[in-house]
Each structure stands twice: as C-alpha cells, then as structure tokens.
Amino acid sequence: MVKIGDRVRFLNSTGGGIVRRFQNKEIVLVEEEDGFETPVLIRECVVIETNENNYAIKTPQVPTEEPKITASVVDKPQEKYEIVEVVGGDKLNVFLAYLPMDIKNLGKSNYETYLINDSNYFLFFNYMSRNNNAWISRHAELIEPNTRLFIEEFSKEQINDIEKVCVQFIAFKQDKPYSLKNSYSIELRIDGVKFYKLHSFKKNDFFEEDALVYPLVTNDSQSREMLVSATDLQEIMTQKNNRREVAPSRKETGQGRPRINSSKKDNNPIIEVDLHINQLLDTTAGMNNADILNVQLDKFREVIEANKTKKGQKIIFIHGKGEGVLRKSITDELNHKYKQFSVQDASFKEYGFGATLITIR
C-alpha cells in the first residue's frame, strides 16, 4: 500500500521520488529530483523506502521525550516540506499543456491536461471551458512553485468541449515578502484538429514525452499569441492570408486549382477550403467514418464562424462527390444555422459536383 512520504520507483519507466499527495484513488503525485511533481498510477509505483509516519521523508531527529497521548484518536502529522526557489524564478512563466496517452494511436487515444507553473510563486487558478454563452469550471486548485499539475483526462469525443478555454490565476508567496504580480484571465481557442496531427506534439522542457504546449504568461507578460481573442486572431490571420498569399499556378499545385483565388479588384477574394480528410490530417489511423466526418465539419464551422460577419465574402468548400454524406451534413447545417447565406453549387467546370459555393449575406 503506497502512502504519503514513501519513496517509490516507477515500474514501467525510469525515475521515481517521494509520494507527496493523492490526486485521486488511482493516481499519486510523486516529487522527482528536479522538484516537479509527476502524476503516476498507484499500480505503477514500487515502494523502495516506506515512511511509517505518513509524511515527507526528512533526516530523522531523536525526540527529547516520549510523546504523550491525550486523546483516543491521534492526528497524523501534516505533510510539510520546504519550498525551494530557483534562480530567475521570480518572473512568472505559466503554460497549459496537453499530452496524448498513446501518441502512436492518436485516433483512439485519451489525452491529459496539465498546468505548468515555472516560477517561484504559488498560483491559485481556475481552468474553465465555454459552453454556449456560459463558462464551466473544470478544475480549480492551488499549484505550488516550479510544479506541473495534472488537471484532467479527456477522450477524443470530448475534444470539442475544450474548443474555448480560459485560465484565471493570481500569484503570491507564502511566509515571505514578494513583488506584486498582475492577476490574469487568459482565453484561448484550442484547435481540435491538432489532436489528430502527430507534428502538433513537440519536444519541450517539461515532459519527457512530446506535448502540445500553450504559453500563457512569459516573463510576467501575457504571451503575444494570447493577447487577442480567438475570434479576433482567426480574422486577423484570414485577412493576412488574403492580403499576402499569392495563389500558386495549377502546375505548381498539381491539383488543378489554387488554394485561394485572389483578384486585385475584389476586396474579399474567394476563400477555397478543401475538406478532403488528407488535406486536414496527417493520418486517419484508428478513426472511423464518424470521427472523420466530425473533423471535416469542425473545419467547416471554423471557417464559417471566422467569416460570418463579412458580407459579400464567397467561400468554396470542396467536399468531393463520394456518397454525399459530407455534402448533406454541410447543407443541413447551413439550412438550420445560416439560413441567411446564399448557397449554390460551385463551378461545375472547375469542381464537377464536388464543391459548394457560399456567399455571406
């Protein structure tokens, strides 16, 4: 039985440390030599040095007198250990990270969420997701200095639930003077398609595994990519692409059509979006037809939402002929949520029966 204060090694991976607390009935947080706490399944821990008193292992001290029992129930000592500060840690650096539990099978893998506090400050934080016009708190807790904290595990079916998230936190130190820091409320949009792309998960300073890491605060300043809302960022990037991207020739693309058709006389050049799954994902391993359709519809909704206020904007969605499932799904969504838009088949000469032209009204 693993207890707080026990020294353990990991059964199926390199490393180990001291058990600091229980995350839940199946997971413990183990402090390794680098000072970070790592969530580990209890069944993956092997006790190599037990701590009968059930608190963090320290150099033993000889008591001066026998303890006196004054009640029938004796409280166990509270877990207490020294907070070690690091050089340069008085600048706030905070990150949100997502890790696949089975990176070789992204189509079926569950994912883990972590908050990383790379500073000498305690952070009291609240991690939320947006549901329609309201926010839902997913996890609120105190995270210690220079620590990564496991927040939650979620399945691929729940990826859409975290499309819009927000992290709020305040920073402080305990039992010592410190410099006052700003409080933060940082909203960001999580691109669900990235969870199906292997190259989205990169080497990083916080995990041995590749991870999708979002910087929230860097050296006391909100990270530049988080300074605008997700909607504003999408619109800025769309406008930037429309201004700067030169459409490749048909010979260059090898596909018979450019990605974006532009015209000097047209302030809103036609946006062309290819919804074929091989254009959206690196691999579909482990995905069924419903998973693939959801990814395609997510891309359709992303583009529509980013451009729905641009009157006169024309968007061509290339869906192919196939069995018509994607085309019907797009048509149904347009008829229910975007009745004001003009919808017609795109040029038969260019696309055959495989594309739909939408004009924003």
Side-chain angles (χ1 to χ4, degrees), residues 92-109:
L92 289 183
N93 288 279
V94 185
F95 306 84
L96 186 65
Y98 298 97
L99 279 75
M101 299 181 70
D102 184 2
I103 199 168
K104 295 181 179 180
N105 195 3
L106 292 180
K108 294 183 177 180
S109 176

Side-chain angles (χ1 to χ4, degrees), residues 22-28 42:
F22 288 84
Q23 183 74 45
N24 54 44
K25 64 181 181 180
E26 296 182 349
I27 297 176
V28 292
I42 294 175

Side-chain angles (χ1 to χ4, degrees), residues 115-140:
L115 188 70
I116 300 164
N117 176 18
D118 189 16
S119 76
N120 292 335
Y121 282 74
F122 288 84
L123 303 180
F124 187 78
F125 75 93
N126 185 20
Y127 172 68
M128 300 162 282
S129 62
R130 190 173 182 85
N131 184 7
N132 295 324
N133 294 321
W135 291 95
I136 298 175
S137 179
R138 304 179 71 91
H139 194 99

